[in-house]
């Protein structure tokens, strides 16, 4: 023996198929129709697809934020490395305080005679 909800669902499907809607629906009939429709697979799969779509969009948003953070961190790291390299280069290419005599033989302004004279005078 089918339940009242199943009977309402069957009646609703017949009305939709044959195009003969009832002119006046009672509140009980409307409630049963809503229950029938809410129990259907359409609502279930609609909610599932909606949740999947939301999950995809949320994931894209989070991934975009994470990518921006990584790019910013990488840029900051590159700037830090450049500053360190400049600092080391300045230290290597500034003359030592030895009375104006350059003691680095790799320096293009190195003069061996001045170095020997400064060492003799000391």
């Amino acid at each position: 023996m089918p339940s009242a909800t199943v009977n309402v669902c069957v009646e609703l499907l017949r009305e939709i198929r044959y195009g003969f809607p009832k002119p006046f629906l009672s509140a009980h009939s409307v409630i049963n129709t809503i229950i029938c429709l809410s129990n259907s697979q359409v609502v279930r799969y609609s909610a599932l697809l909606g949740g999947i779509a939301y999950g995809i969009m949320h994931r894209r948003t989070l991934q975009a934020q994470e990518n921006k953070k990584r790019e910013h961190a990488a840029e900051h790291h590159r700037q830090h490395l450049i500053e360190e390299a400049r600092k080391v280069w300045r230290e290597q290419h500034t003359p030592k305080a030895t009375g104006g005599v350059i003691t680095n033989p790799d320096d293009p302004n190195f003069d061996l005679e001045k170095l020997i004279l400064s060492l003799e005078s000391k």
Side-chain angles (χ1 to χ4, degrees):
M1 179 108 187
S3 68
T5 305
V6 173
N7 288 337
V8 171
C9 289
V10 171
E11 286 179 27
L12 180 65
L13 290 174
R14 283 183 188 156
E15 289 174 7
I16 291 171
R17 181 180 291 165
Y18 298 115
F20 298 114
K22 292 182 180 178
F24 299 103
L25 295 175
S26 66
H28 182 67
S29 176
V30 171
I31 291 173
N32 284 336
T33 305
I34 292 171
I35 291 171
C36 173
L37 293 176
S38 67
N39 288 335
S40 69
Q41 296 293 329
V42 174
V43 174
R44 237 184 240 171
Y45 285 114
S46 296
L48 177 66
L49 292 176
I52 290 172
Y54 171 77
I56 290 170
M57 295 303 293
H58 187 62
R59 166 70 188 228
R60 284 184 181 175
T61 303
L62 293 177
Q63 190 65 42
Q65 290 173 354
E66 184 64 27
N67 289 344
K68 284 182 183 179
K69 286 180 184 177
R70 285 184 183 177
E71 287 177 12
H72 180 70
E75 181 65 29
H76 181 68
H77 181 67
R78 280 192 294 267
Q79 290 295 331
H80 180 69
L81 291 176
I82 289 170
E83 289 299 321
E84 284 184 6
R86 285 180 180 168
K87 186 178 180 183
V88 170
W89 187 86
R90 282 187 202 121
E91 288 176 2
Q92 290 177 351
H93 289 86
T94 55
K96 305 285 190 244
T98 57
V101 177
I102 299 172
T103 58
N104 185 3
D106 293 332
D107 191 351
N109 296 327
F110 176 71
D111 189 8
L112 184 61
E113 291 180 31
K114 287 183 181 179
L115 179 63
I116 293 173
L117 289 175
S118 69
L119 291 175
E120 286 179 354
S121 66
K122 289 183 183 182

